[in-house]
Every structure is written in C-alpha cells, then in structure tokens.
Amino acid sequence: MPRFTLRLSATDDIPADEATSSFYWLPDQRSTFTRGFSPSLATLGSVPPLNVDVVRVALTAFAADRTVPRKGYGANWNRRQLELEVPVSDAAVWNGVADELAGVLGFLSGDRWSLSFIQQLELVETLTPDEISVTPQRVVLLSGGADSAIGGLYSRSLLATDQQHVLLSHYNNTMLAPIQRHIATELQRLIPGPSQEHVVVHLGRRSERIDGTSYPSESTTRSRSLLFLALGLAVASLHQVPLWIPENGFASINPPLGPERLGSLSTRTTHPKFLQDLAAVLTKVGAHAVIENPFAHVTKGEMYRRVVDLVGAEEASSFLSATHSCALTGQRAHGISSDRPCGVCFGCVLRRASFAASEVPDLSDYIAPSSDPAVQKWLDSKSVEQPVRNFIHRGVRARDLTTLSLPDDYRLRDVLDLCQRGIQELRSLYQ
C-alpha cells in the first residue's frame, strides 16, 4: 500500500526512501507544491487551525492521487489503496474521525484510503494578507465552468449594493486562470453595484520530488474537488459564512450512462452524499463546514435560462460561451490550444445540450468535428456521444436511482423528475 507523509520542514540531507514517500510543504524552492502559498494559509488571513488542517488533508490527498497511477482504463480502473499521514493542530480530534473521513474520501475517488494524524506545532508566519473590508454574505467557488459562473451571477443578483461576496478560484492548470479572471470581471459588468473580492489560489503538486527525481503522474485527479472545497471553507471560516459550490443537480447526482459506469466512471465531485458526509465529519471535529449547492434541484439548461432572465439572451450567450467545461487535457499533443473544448466529453455534451435546450446561442469553439484524421481519431476515442444516445434511449427508472447512494432527505420522485428533465435536455441535442 503506497504511504505518504506530509512534512512541513526538511533537512539538507534527505534519505531517498523519505523523499519518495513524502510531500514537503515548504516556503522555499524545494517544496513539493506550487510556491507562494504557505501551510498556515497566512496568505488568506487568520484561518482557524482546524480549517487549516482541512486544507492540509485535502492537499496531501490530491498529491497522492496524482502520484499513484491507476491500472487499467475506462470502466476497468483499479481501486487503489492509499495511506496518508498528515500533521494537524489537534491530532487526537482528527484521529477520532480518521475512518469516517477516509470513507468520505473513498466515496469521492473510488479508492480505499487510510488516514492517520500527527501533532504539529503552530507555524509562525509573517505574511500580511489583504484584508476584506466588508463581511461577505457568502463565498462562491469559481472554477471557470458554466455552473460556477452562473453561481457567481446569481449570488450577485441577491446582494444589496452595500453587500459583497467573495469568489474563490483554484487552479493547477494555468490555462484556467485567465478564464476565471474574465468571468469575475464579467460578473461585475453584468450586475453592477455590489462589491466583490476574487481570491485566486495557484496550488498543486510539482512534477519533481524534493531530491530531483520525477513523480509518476496520474491524470484522473478526483480528489481535486476536496482541495477546492477545503480552500473555499478556509476563506468562509474567516467570516463564518456559507460556502456555495454551484453545480446543476443532474450532474451532481450523475446517473451512470451505462451499467459499466456505476463505479469508476461515475464522478462524485458534487454528489449530495459526498457534500453532506464531508460537512458532517468536519463539523464533528469543529471545523467550519457550511456547504450549500444553490442549484441542487435544477438542470443545467434551467440554470442557463436563469441567466437569460437576469441579463438577456445576447449577454447570456456571450457570458456562458466564454466558460470552460471540458474534461479533456490532451489538446496540446495535437497542436491545439488547451483552452479549446473538445465537444465530445460528458462535460461538453451536457454543455451543448443545455445551450440547445435553453435556446441560448452557443459560441463555443469546439474541436469536434475535426478535418484532421489524427485529431478525429483521438476525439472518437474519448467521445461519450454514443453512450449518451444509449442513455437517452434507455432512460432512468426509479429503481436505477437506488444505486446512487442518495441522502435520505432526497425524495426519490423528485430525483426521478430531475433526471427525466436532464435527459430531455440531452435529447434536444440530437433531435
């Protein structure tokens, strides 16, 4: 079982076995992680220690997720076993929920996790963060995708002119940063008045270990959403306000496109059970964990229509088309800019269907179809369009939803209605 330890200090002479099994969060160039963001989170402000701990756990999991390659592809992924040791402010409290938190992480990534915690002395930081002058109403996660952009727009529409919200963006792939900044600027233009802070965090695992050797690389980083949430909660904890994670309910529930996709290919980044269980564990240890999805019961197309109601069809088209929902990352290997969406992954298919269902013009510059045979072959190998067609034809029955681990407070008939509306939107793409 691969075992990794997060270390917040390092000697000059590090044994090879320690370098291989450790991640180092350091203030200098030897750090495993992107520089400029400290392990005390002092750049964000006086984050409560328990929420600092949450970020450390999430970042260690994210690094381990990227470092241990999966075996097999598609629906034949293996279930990895990963063990983490994390320094925290109160090891006794965290060890008391280690198994529960490991279960939450396992539900998210599809792996088996084992967590243990060690006591860490308080770090002394001299950084002075930028102070937020007005207590925000909420913190909104802004990933660069359409749903998060709509969340930011909807949040601004609820603010009085003397109120504000905070947008929290995280990126590891530098392609996302300008998209996130553009969306933040557009939100202020489209709904002027309320003030707004945009906190951008560049944080990820570097390609080389502390001894200069290269890390293995796994691209299916399911745990990134935990890191994103942890960073958002850290900012929300400064003001004890809710954290919004805007995502359409159909994608959150994510009914599998086929029986073979029940496990490995059924993503759970905003699944209601994951969010509820995570909040329950974090609340148990005393960390701030108020997480809300304002769109948990609506489809993506219905979210698009809400944008039309707020700013009009022409502005909605321009605003939504500038977001990025593509899940593929192999564009550069074919000489294509990494910010161009493929058009055939599930994120792109659902996006296209939402434009069609809402009758909002889609100005996105999709790669598919391509006149280049090599590019088209790559697109065909990644396309989910035929599975989506099969899914539309098959539909969803109430008994299918019993396999999705939905929370007890999600009424089956409401979830079934949501899925049927989502399928109808997908159908609009192929009429």
Side-chain angles (χ1 to χ4, degrees):
M1 177 189 299
R3 177 183 174 86
F4 299 98
T5 299
L6 178 66
R7 301 183 187 275
L8 306 183
S9 62
T11 61
D12 293 333
D13 187 15
I14 298 173
D17 59 342
E18 180 184 304
T20 300
S21 62
S22 301
F23 303 122
Y24 296 86
W25 199 352
L26 308 174
D28 57 42
Q29 69 274 10
R30 297 185 301 163
S31 180
T32 298
F33 306 106
T34 313
R35 293 183 61 193
F37 199 76
S38 72
S40 70
L41 310 189
T43 46
L44 295 180
S46 300
V47 178
L50 288 166
N51 277 94
V52 173
D53 295 342
V54 178
V55 174
R56 291 180 186 171
V57 174
L59 184 60
T60 309
F62 178 64
D65 195 5
R66 286 207 60 203
T67 301
V68 180
R70 294 183 182 273
K71 297 177 182 177
Y73 299 91
N76 295 317
W77 277 357
N78 68 315
R79 190 178 190 185
R80 302 168 298 176
Q81 297 189 30
L82 303 165
E83 187 174 347
L84 307 180
E85 183 180 72
V86 184
V88 291
S89 64
D90 192 332
V93 167
W94 283 104
N95 280 316
V97 298
D99 290 344
E100 291 176 70
L101 185 55
V104 173
L105 190 50
F107 182 81
L108 173 65
S109 75
D111 303 300
R112 288 190 179 94
W113 297 81
S114 177
L115 307 178
S116 61
F117 301 94
I118 55 176
Q119 192 67 35
Q120 171 66 40
L121 296 176
E122 183 178 357
L123 297 177
V124 178
E125 296 281 348
T126 58
L127 297 173
T128 303
D130 295 331
E131 294 294 333
I132 296 174
S133 57
V134 179
T135 299
Q137 300 300 112
R138 65 191 68 88
V139 175
V140 183
L141 295 184
L142 182 67
S143 65
D147 289 18
S148 71
I150 296 169
L153 192 74
Y154 178 52
S155 175
R156 282 189 66 84
S157 75
L158 300 178
L159 297 174
T161 54
D162 60 346
Q163 293 177 329
Q164 77 162 5
H165 65 190
V166 177
L167 305 174
L168 187 284
S169 294
H170 166 258
Y171 71 94
N172 186 32
N173 186 336
T174 55
M175 173 271 294
L176 285 175
I179 296 174
Q180 294 165 345
R181 289 194 296 268
H182 172 76
I183 293 171
T185 300
E186 283 293 278
L187 293 178
Q188 292 180 301
R189 182 184 68 83
L190 291 170
I191 300 185
S195 62
Q196 174 176 288
E197 297 287 339
H198 186 201
V199 178
V200 181
V201 178
H202 182 198
L203 185 61
R205 196 215 64 186
R206 297 168 64 187
S207 60
E208 291 186 349
R209 299 186 180 97
I210 197 169
D211 62 0
T213 60
S214 296
Y215 280 110
S217 184
E218 168 58 44
S219 61
T220 58
T221 52
R222 292 279 177 83
S223 61
R224 180 182 175 271
S225 63
L226 178 61
L227 178 58
F228 199 11
L229 281 164
L231 292 166
L233 286 172
V235 176
S237 72
L238 294 169
H239 313 283
Q240 297 295 298
V241 296
L243 173 68
W244 273 18
I245 177 167
E247 181 79 11
N248 73 87
F250 181 61
S252 293
I253 293 169
N254 195 19
L257 298 184
E260 77 284 357
R261 301 173 74 98
L262 276 171
S264 61
L265 294 186
S266 184
T267 56
R268 293 163 171 169
T269 57
T270 58
H271 193 285
K273 175 177 171 58
F274 165 63
L275 297 180
Q276 285 191 16
D277 289 355
L278 175 64
V281 173
L282 299 187
T283 299
K284 185 178 290 189
V285 301
H288 182 68
V290 182
I291 305 171
E292 300 174 358
N293 179 3
F295 305 118
H297 302 288
V298 300
T299 66
K300 197 179 188 82
E302 290 164 355
M303 290 174 66
Y304 279 32
R305 285 190 283 273
R306 187 169 298 187
V307 177
V308 173
D309 291 340
L310 288 172
V311 300
E314 184 175 350
E315 291 281 24
S317 175
S318 176
F319 176 66
L320 294 169
S321 297
T323 63
H324 186 83
S325 305
C326 184
L328 295 194
T329 57
Q331 287 90 330
R332 287 185 177 179
H334 299 276
I336 300 170
S337 174
S338 59
D339 62 357
R340 282 193 65 190
C342 69
V344 295
C345 69
F346 185 71
C348 284
V349 169
L350 183 59
R351 172 193 179 92
R352 290 165 49 209
S354 301
F355 274 110
S358 63
E359 299 183 338
V360 174
D362 187 357
L363 307 179
S364 307
D365 184 20
Y366 300 109
I367 300 170
S370 174
S371 59
D372 184 327
V375 172
Q376 189 59 50
K377 182 179 180 180
W378 169 66
L379 292 170
D380 290 342
S381 71
K382 303 296 183 181
S383 176
V384 301
E385 290 205 274
Q386 189 55 53
V388 167
R389 290 176 183 271
N390 296 341
F391 176 62
I392 293 170
H393 177 73
R394 186 178 62 255
V396 169
R397 298 163 295 183
R399 65 186 182 190
D400 297 327
L401 302 178
T402 61
T403 66
L404 300 183
S405 303
L406 296 172
D408 292 338
D409 59 351
Y410 270 59
R411 295 193 307 175
L412 198 60
R413 64 183 181 185
D414 293 338
V415 176
L416 180 61
D417 179 64
L418 172 64
C419 288
Q420 289 172 340
R421 297 189 336 257
I423 291 171
Q424 184 58 37
E425 290 181 359
L426 288 172
R427 185 175 289 115
S428 67
L429 186 62
Y430 300 107
Q431 290 177 343

